[in-house]
Every structure is written in C-alpha cells, then in structure tokens.
Amino acid sequence: MTTSPITVTVTGAAGNIGYALLFRIASGGLLGPDVPVRLNLLEIPAAVKAAEGTAMELNDSAFPLLDSVNIYDDVNQAFEGTNVGLLVGARPRTKGMERADLLAANGGIFGPQGKAINDHAADDVKVLVVGNPANTNAYIAAASAPDVPADRFNAMMRLDHNRAMSQLKEKTGTAISDIKKVVVWGNHSADQHPDVSYATLDGKPALEAVDAQWLDSYFVPTVAKRGAAIIEARGASSAASAASAAIDHVYDWVNGTKEGDWTTAGVASHGEYGVPEGLIFGFPTTSAGGEWQIVTGLDVSDATRAGIERNIKAAQEEIDAVKELDIL
Ligand SMILES: NC(=O)c1ccc[n+]([C@@H]2O[C@H](COP(=O)([O-])OP(=O)(O)OC[C@H]3O[C@@H](n4cnc5c(N)ncnc54)[C@H](O)[C@@H]3O)[C@@H](O)[C@H]2O)c1
C-alpha cells in the first residue's frame, strides 16, 4: 500500500444505511482493494454517541485499509479535504408531513452541505446523494456549490438499476453478469421508468425473452415500488441493498464501467433526451477516467418518451417548490 489515504465523508453515519455502508468502505469495496481510506463521519449532535459506537466497531475490525475514523457534528470540519462525499443523512417524511415541509427540512441539510463541500472539499471531490428525495437533494447541494462542477454531484439511481437486474434474473434465470444495458430513467421515486428496451440477456435482446404484459403489469411496478415492499416485509426500509448500491455507484464512477455495458446514474443533464439542463436524472451512463458520460443517440420508444416526460415533470415540480420556499 503506497498511496496516501482518500478521505471519504459519510453523512448520517449512525443510521441504518450508514451501518451497512461503512464496513464495506473500510474493507476496500468503495474504491478498490489497494486504496487506504480516512473516514469522516458526520452526524447530528444527538447521534454522535451512536456514531462513536460504530467507529469503535470499525476500529475493532482491524481493516488494513482503514487509516482513521473521525466523527463530526460540524459540517465544515466533516468535509475538510473530502475526496468522496456520501450524503446519506436526510430528514425522513413523517406522518402528516406536507411535501413543502419535507423539502424545506432537506433544503436546510443539503444546502449547507453543498456549501461546505464548495468551501472545504478537495478539488477532485465526487458526491453521491442517497438521502431522499435524492434527485432534488442533489440538485440543492450542487446549486449551493458554485465552484464545484455540477457533474460531480450525483443522485443514487443504482439501487433501482440493481432491482431491475434482479427482477430480470428471477424471471429468466440469466446470471447477473450476463444481463447488460438495463436503465432506470428519471428519479428515485415511484415515477421512475425502468426500461429493458436496450437490454440483453446472454447477448440476446431481453425483449425476445419477456413479454409486454409482464413488463407493464409486473416488472415496472415491482421495481418502482420495491422500497415499499421491503418496508412491508422487513418492518424497516432497505438499508444493506442501498449501501451496496452506493458502493457500486462510486466504485464504477472511480474505476470505470465494464466494456460493452452501462449502468444507471443520476447525473446532471446537459439537455440529453430533452431533459432540461441541470436536472439530476437517471440516465444510461458509462464511466471512464473518473467521469460519467451519458449514453446518447438511443432510439426512444413512445413508452420511454412518456416515462422520461413524467419524470421531468415530477423533478421540475419539486425544484419549483424548492425555489418557492426560497431554499435556493
Ligand atoms: N436513493 C436511494 O436509492 C435510497 C434508498 C434507500 C434509502 N434512501 C434514503 O437514505 C436516507 C437514509 O436512510 P437510513 O435508513 O439510513 O435512515 P436512518 O434514519 O436510519 O438514518 C439517517 C441518519 O441521518 C442522520 N442525519 C439526519 N440529519 C442529518 C444531518 N443534517 N447531518 C448528518 N446526519 C444527519 C440521522 O441522525 C440518522 O442517524 C433516507 O433519506 C432514505 O429515504 C435512499
């Protein structure tokens, strides 16, 4: 091990996703088996003690790649020198909470975090927003960091992508490694548009293996509503699969996607597929040299077009509501 440690800041570190995520980062899953990490954990003051407990366990795991674990309740200190920021902590929607209240609460978290990243993070910082509403929170953080290129702020769509892969595997028996070019357009919400139009299974078009009836009446709603199904079954929201998806997203961003395949990342639009510039949107993406490229030039069916439009509308409405609340 010769390289100096990469600083990874995780917000909401004492939460459920945090607990599943931190050990995988420390064991090399996020950046690779030869990259030492310095973990900065950000929590609210009430959860600092719990974060300290997690830090004790991280240290007790004696991970060779773990340089140090540092705990903060100060956003500026937590993002000092950050190379990778995983913004997990968010204000959940509680019973009876209006959308405006939810957006205001999260604006109060992701605005200051974006600013702290702008002022304190390393020049090469990469940020993945996991906390919901992820696409809008990523937009708020990016807008609060004018000196950081907007391309460095992503929203996590990888869990939706992985869920789509899992449904295809279950239906057709194809190994995950032989399923390629799935995409989930749009937002991490029930509006999302999981799409197998371009997907291949063992090199053959997925559309030859699955019929429209299954896609419309089972696949799309199962993927889009999987979060609710997990809550119903587990009595708690998805945590380990969300952590695993965050690991996949950053690993691919840093190390590149596989030749002949793409993944889904929520990245800032430059106008691709008619998505307004700046919206952080799930697209088919490849990565090379630490940068995402949106796959362009795909033929878009009427159903996909409608799915993209539905997601643009939902994302735009949320951002308009944020602007009305004077968060931005
Ligand atoms: N994008 C996705 O695919 C996806 C999937 C699953 C969950 N999520 C979202 O991830 C978020 C976290 O989920 P969880 O199950 O870990 O929740 P959790 O409630 O278990 O943990 C959240 C943690 O965030 C902390 N926190 C709150 N405000 C903070 C702030 N300002 N700074 C630092 N920490 C703060 C809390 O103290 C808590 O420890 C939720 O918003 C959830 O909806 C997203």
Side-chain angles (χ1 to χ4, degrees):
M1 219 189 302
T2 50
T3 48
S4 51
I6 299 292
T7 300
V8 179
T9 299
V10 179
T11 75
N16 286 308
I17 294 176
Y19 195 70
L21 181 59
L22 292 166
F23 294 83
R24 295 204 43 201
I25 299 172
S27 65
L30 189 79
L31 299 168
D34 303 315
V35 185
V37 289
R38 178 186 298 126
L39 272 173
N40 283 358
L41 314 187
L42 177 66
E43 259 299 349
I44 56 172
V48 161
K49 189 149 190 277
E52 283 169 359
T54 306
M56 287 159 74
E57 283 203 77
L58 282 162
N59 288 324
D60 289 351
S61 302
F63 291 115
L65 292 172
L66 186 58
D67 173 81
S68 58
V69 188
N70 315 286
I71 301 164
Y72 303 98
D73 61 10
D74 179 287
V75 68
N76 293 317
Q77 290 173 3
F79 285 108
E80 189 63 50
T82 298
N83 304 106
V84 177
L86 296 168
L87 311 193
V88 180
R91 175 74 162 81
R93 191 171 200 148
T94 40
K95 217 172 165 201
M97 195 178 191
E98 297 294 332
R99 184 175 73 161
D101 297 333
L102 181 76
L103 291 173
N106 280 302
I109 294 173
F110 289 86
Q113 288 181 0
K115 186 170 183 327
I117 288 166
N118 189 71
D119 295 348
H120 297 281
D123 287 346
D124 68 349
V125 68
K126 290 178 164 59
V127 180
L128 175 64
V129 175
V130 175
N132 283 321
N135 300 59
T136 299
N137 289 341
Y139 182 92
I140 293 170
S144 309
D147 304 332
V148 180
D151 290 353
R152 307 281 194 78
F153 285 87
N154 292 180
M156 190 166 89
M157 293 295 295
R158 185 60 172 262
L159 180 55
D160 308 289
H161 180 95
N162 287 351
R163 286 169 172 167
M165 303 263 286
S166 153
Q167 289 305 317
L168 279 176
K169 176 190 175 188
E170 200 168 303
K171 172 74 174 169
T172 65
T174 312
I176 289 290
S177 53
D178 293 326
I179 301 175
K180 310 252 193 266
K181 298 192 174 175
V182 169
V183 58
V184 182
W185 301 90
N187 307 314
H188 175 69
S189 74
D191 290 310
Q192 64 181 244
H193 184 69
D195 185 4
V196 304
S197 307
Y198 320 98
T200 58
L201 309 175
D202 269 331
K204 295 185 209 74
L207 290 178
E208 289 176 7
V210 293
D211 58 50
Q213 155 79 10
W214 178 79
L215 284 171
D216 294 344
S217 63
Y218 186 85
F219 172 76
V220 169
T222 300
V223 173
K225 295 179 189 159
R226 189 67 162 181
I230 304 269
I231 292 174
E232 173 70 24
R234 223 171 75 84
S237 62
S238 37
S241 56
S244 196
I247 294 279
D248 290 346
H249 179 114
V250 174
Y251 186 90
D252 283 354
W253 192 357
V254 171
N255 295 294
T257 42
K258 291 192 184 70
E259 189 65 38
D261 199 4
W262 67 49
T263 187
T264 305
V267 295
S269 172
H270 317 95
E272 292 87 349
Y273 300 99
V275 178
E277 200 175 333
L279 277 195
I280 298 190
F281 203 85
F283 284 110
T285 44
T286 58
S287 169
E291 291 189 12
W292 291 114
Q293 292 288 334
I294 295 171
V295 177
T296 54
L298 297 172
D299 263 341
V300 168
S301 68
D302 289 348
T304 298
R305 186 74 250 154
I308 291 173
E309 292 299 334
R310 185 177 68 244
N311 278 276
I312 292 173
K313 186 166 178 287
Q316 200 73 68
E317 278 174 9
E318 239 169 51
I319 286 163
D320 289 347
V322 163
K323 287 186 176 151
E324 266 172 41
L325 290 165
D326 267 344
I327 293 169
L328 287 175

